[in-house]
Amino acid sequence: MYNAKAYSAVSATSRLASATIPRRDPAEHDVQIEILFCGICHSDLHQVRNEWSGFMPTVYPCVPGHEIVGRVTKVGSAVKKFKPGDLAAVGCLVDSDRTCPECKAGFEQFCANMTLTYNSPDKHTGAVTYGGYSDSIVVDERFVLRVPSNLDLAGAAPLLCAGITTYSPMRHWGVTKGKKVGVVGIGGLGHMAVKIAHALGAHVVAFTTSASKKEDALRLGADEVVVSRNANEMQKHAGSFHFILDAVAAAHDINAYLNLLRRDGNITLVGAPEKPLAVSAFALIFGRRSLSGSPIGGIAETQEMLDFCGKHNITANVEVIPIQKVNEAYERLLKSDVKYRFSIDMASLKSG
Ligand SMILES: NC(=O)c1ccc[n+]([C@@H]2O[C@H](COP(=O)([O-])OP(=O)(O)OC[C@H]3O[C@@H](n4cnc5c(N)ncnc54)[C@H](OP(=O)(O)O)[C@@H]3O)[C@@H](O)[C@H]2O)c1
Ligand SMILES: [Zn+2]
Ligand SMILES: [Zn+2]
């Protein structure tokens, strides 16, 4: 074991602060990565504040962060895919049982025994996993991704969660040219969804509560933007969407969006508000519409998404911050005051 520097929270109400955490020395199949950038996902905030206590209670101290890019510093003797000096990335998963039908099908995100990058039982240490708000991480090479060399690293980090979480359901539901696709909530996930849906060739409509994001959304690749607080603007799109991705982090009226779907249209929730949403049966019945959810993505699909983003030169729009600003960043995230993802420059951890 060795000591790594990190930022952790010791309770649901405490600020994140500098800490030392134990990491395992790289074993045969492990890759040790010096973390260069880590994105701030809204899930980090939900988890740090124990907002998912009924489903995924937080174990403290909690070191969040699952949008990790860095450089390989050491590899185990059996590692084939990476060598010291290579760029590498880690997303929301660091292990799974590898033997269940889901794992065999490449759907590690559905494995009952998956290990999340943070707040999961750690098979190696017996404690809990610690995420990317840290100077280094050690991960089995099967769960380490390659970063296309043309991508800016600070902007590439958010692809590891915001990118794959939006890419995966859009691929599953057949987002392509000729489809009308809505994206609700233009935050970290939503702005990636707009870029990816546009690159997949769809007609993209962005829904935002922030009128100030209108021009930006068009620049990100939306063909149209609707300010969702305006009922008339919403009504113009009634019954017209093939697919809508809902990336809102707070309570909101899902029925207003169900009514915008055409026959057999689908809304997929990727946003995970703390409280249940009320769904009108009639909004589903008329039009045989469906409502579903989707978590992150498997390892092979995450690599496919990174390669797709490399090909289309897609990264997140980021505001790079030093780790010392992380608590302030959380407060701003709650106010949707970031365009559109914070990316922590982990070199700042060296100074405290
Ligand atoms: N399914 C998964 O695997 C997965 C993976 C990652 C994250 N998530 C979840 O996805 C959600 C979004 O994450 P994120 O990192 O993209 O968060 P974010 O950057 O905070 O974006 C959320 C966006 O939702 C909109 N919004 C916020 N409050 C709202 C309200 N009261 N009513 C309506 N709209 C509101 C805002 O967009 P506008 O200003 O445009 O309205 C905001 O920018 C979080 O709940 C997160 O935990 C799920
Ligand atoms: Zn995330
Ligand atoms: Zn499995």
Side-chain angles (χ1 to χ4, degrees):
M1 301 291 283
Y2 72 97
N3 285 331
K5 276 189 166 187
Y7 255 54
S8 77
V10 295
S11 78
T13 52
S14 59
R15 289 163 64 84
L16 288 150
S18 174
T20 299
I21 52 165
R23 295 274 193 206
R24 68 178 188 268
D25 291 313
E28 227 184 338
H29 294 280
D30 284 340
V31 177
Q32 184 187 47
I33 299 163
E34 179 194 7
I35 301 175
L36 299 176
F37 291 96
C38 184
I40 297 181
C41 178
H42 206 113
S43 302
D44 299 351
L45 188 154
H46 289 306
Q47 194 80 68
V48 160
R49 300 192 178 176
N50 205 14
E51 288 173 357
W52 294 336
S53 57
F55 173 65
M56 250 196 243
T58 306
V59 179
Y60 295 96
C62 173
V63 177
H66 55 208
E67 294 185 335
I68 299 167
V69 294
R71 209 168 276 288
V72 175
T73 44
K74 213 179 200 181
V75 296
S77 57
V79 170
K80 296 204 170 67
K81 260 166 56 185
F82 295 93
K83 58 180 189 321
D86 285 350
L87 288 175
V90 178
C92 304
L93 294 172
V94 289
D95 211 345
S96 68
D97 61 22
R98 306 169 191 197
T99 54
C100 75
E102 302 293 7
C103 286
K104 284 192 174 149
F107 293 125
E108 295 89 351
Q109 75 272 35
F110 300 116
C111 175
N113 302 305
M114 66 181 169
T115 306
L116 294 167
T117 305
Y118 61 84
N119 200 53
S120 251
D122 187 327
K123 287 182 213 161
H124 302 269
T125 64
V128 76
T129 51
Y130 296 125
Y133 296 9
S134 173
D135 58 4
S136 69
I137 193 164
V138 178
V139 179
D140 187 296
E141 74 165 325
R142 285 198 201 198
F143 289 79
V144 182
L145 288 313
R146 294 191 167 284
V147 186
S149 58
N150 58 315
L151 297 183
D152 165 67
L153 293 184
L159 299 179
L160 277 302
C161 177
I164 184 61
T165 301
T166 53
Y167 180 85
S168 181
M170 289 200 280
R171 295 284 288 160
H172 178 74
W173 289 96
V175 168
T176 179
K177 197 167 160 44
K179 297 286 168 72
K180 184 172 174 185
V181 171
V183 176
V184 187
I186 308 305
L189 264 57
H191 96 290
M192 287 311 312
V194 169
K195 290 188 185 202
I196 292 170
H198 174 74
L200 288 168
H203 180 87
V204 185
V205 182
F207 292 91
T208 179
T209 57
S210 317
S212 63
K213 293 183 184 173
K214 215 166 171 172
E215 292 306 312
D216 269 5
L218 294 171
R219 272 194 293 271
L220 293 168
D223 297 284
E224 301 175 61
V225 184
V226 173
V227 177
S228 52
R229 298 192 200 279
N230 182 331
N232 284 341
E233 268 193 68
M234 294 285 283
Q235 195 49 37
K236 280 187 207 152
H237 292 273
S240 67
F241 283 89
H242 293 93
F243 177 74
I244 297 177
L245 189 86
D246 183 329
V248 175
H252 61 292
D253 178 17
I254 190 74
N255 303 304
Y257 294 99
L258 284 170
N259 288 324
L260 303 189
L261 294 175
R262 60 166 64 201
R263 170 169 56 79
D264 292 326
N266 170 267
I267 292 190
T268 292
L269 297 177
V270 288
E274 193 177 351
K275 300 213 169 70
L277 301 172
V279 177
S280 151
F282 290 106
L284 291 172
I285 290 169
F286 292 114
R288 198 165 55 190
R289 299 159 173 144
S290 66
L291 173 64
S292 57
S294 183
I296 50 174
I299 294 301
E301 194 177 42
T302 304
Q303 190 61 62
E304 178 190 308
M305 175 277 308
L306 284 167
D307 296 342
F308 176 86
C309 289
K311 187 169 157 217
H312 294 272
N313 213 1
I314 294 174
T315 51
N317 292 26
V318 289
E319 177 176 337
V320 177
I321 57 162
I323 187 88
Q324 292 79 6
K325 288 244 164 87
V326 68
N327 293 297
E328 200 181 298
Y330 276 26
E331 293 312 313
R332 286 181 50 199
L333 188 59
L334 282 173
K335 291 187 264 177
S336 302
D337 174 24
V338 52
K339 294 195 167 164
Y340 281 89
R341 198 58 143 187
F342 289 110
S343 185
I344 308 169
D345 179 353
M346 224 33 93
S348 59
L349 196 51
K350 295 196 171 88
S351 58

